[in-house]
Amino acid sequence: QVLRVYKAAVQQTLDILFLPEGREFLTSTDAVSRDSADRTVIVWDFQSAAKISNQIFHERYTCPSLTLHPKESVFVAQTNGNYMALFSAQRPYRINKKKRYEGHKVEGFAVGCEFSPDGALLVTGSSDGKVFFYNYHTGRIIRTLSAHKEACVSAIFHPVLPSLLATCDWAGEIKIWQ
């Protein structure tokens, strides 16, 4: 049974992320044009289905992946501009203009990103088949792993065994790393 329907009036929705406590959630969309980047990331009120904000990300890149920090009130948006942007997960949902996670390549792929269970690392795939590990606090790359021959579209930590990492590529290959 459908409880609510939310209509963004844009093209496709790329990702959904519930914020802590579940009263609000984010969507990323493929609504970027040459003149405007509004509606790229939309904040929704869960109860009323109203848009709270569609102006939190002003750059002209789509964001194929959103991920919430496990301990702090922040989230990251993977951008097709070859960087991950850090945002506050509380109103007014501002971008942190001083911290970016750069070095990996997205190049139009829906590359995912995720924080380690302890929140110290941020991991992402890359269109060149690599996996990048970033120090969450400094934004610096601390390790790269040549993981796949095709674009690495996801890297995710095991929920119970945090020393294990699963990666997958554009061609469908999945690898588990320790």
Side-chain angles (χ1 to χ4, degrees):
Q1 136 185 353
V2 175
L3 299 177
R4 288 177 195 79
V5 176
Y6 305 81
K7 187 69 177 145
V10 294
Q11 295 171 354
Q12 66 194 57
T13 298
L14 304 173
D15 203 3
I16 300 171
L17 177 68
F18 277 99
L19 294 176
E21 301 176 22
R23 291 190 295 258
E24 296 167 351
F25 67 95
L26 306 164
T27 58
S28 62
T29 67
D30 200 7
V32 177
S33 68
R34 286 185 206 170
D35 302 330
S36 176
D38 70 331
R39 301 178 314 233
T40 301
V41 177
I42 301 172
V43 184
W44 300 85
D45 180 80
F46 178 71
Q47 291 296 329
S48 69
K51 291 180 198 171
I52 295 170
S53 176
N54 64 354
Q55 295 287 325
I56 68 171
F57 185 60
H58 298 284
E59 298 192 31
R60 292 186 186 100
Y61 300 114
T62 58
C63 298
S65 177
L66 305 168
T67 191
L68 191 62
H69 193 279
K71 298 184 186 276
E72 296 183 21
S73 189
V74 296
F75 72 93
V76 167
Q78 174 77 269
T79 75
N80 278 333
N82 296 326
Y83 67 92
M84 292 176 284
L86 183 67
F87 294 85
S88 167
Q90 296 177 336
R91 290 184 191 194
Y93 310 106
R94 297 197 198 254
I95 191 170
N96 183 333
K97 294 182 180 180
K98 296 179 182 176
K99 191 183 293 186
R100 280 187 174 189
Y101 303 91
E102 300 177 294
H104 64 287
K105 297 176 183 170
V106 179
E107 297 177 339
F109 288 96
V111 174
C113 56
E114 183 185 65
F115 286 101
S116 60
D118 66 359
L121 299 175
L122 180 59
V123 64
T124 183
S126 183
S127 64
D128 59 6
K130 294 179 182 171
V131 175
F132 285 74
F133 296 84
Y134 294 88
N135 178 303
Y136 161 65
H137 294 289
T138 67
R140 292 192 177 123
I141 297 168
I142 57 172
R143 184 171 183 198
T144 20
L145 181 66
S146 294
H148 296 274
K149 293 177 185 158
E150 300 286 330
C152 181
V153 293
S154 186
I156 185 167
F157 290 96
H158 189 281
V160 179
L161 305 169
S163 66
L164 297 183
L165 181 79
T167 62
C168 65
D169 71 10
W170 187 249
E173 183 176 64
I174 301 164
K175 293 181 179 179
I176 306 295
W177 304 81
Q178 185 166 25

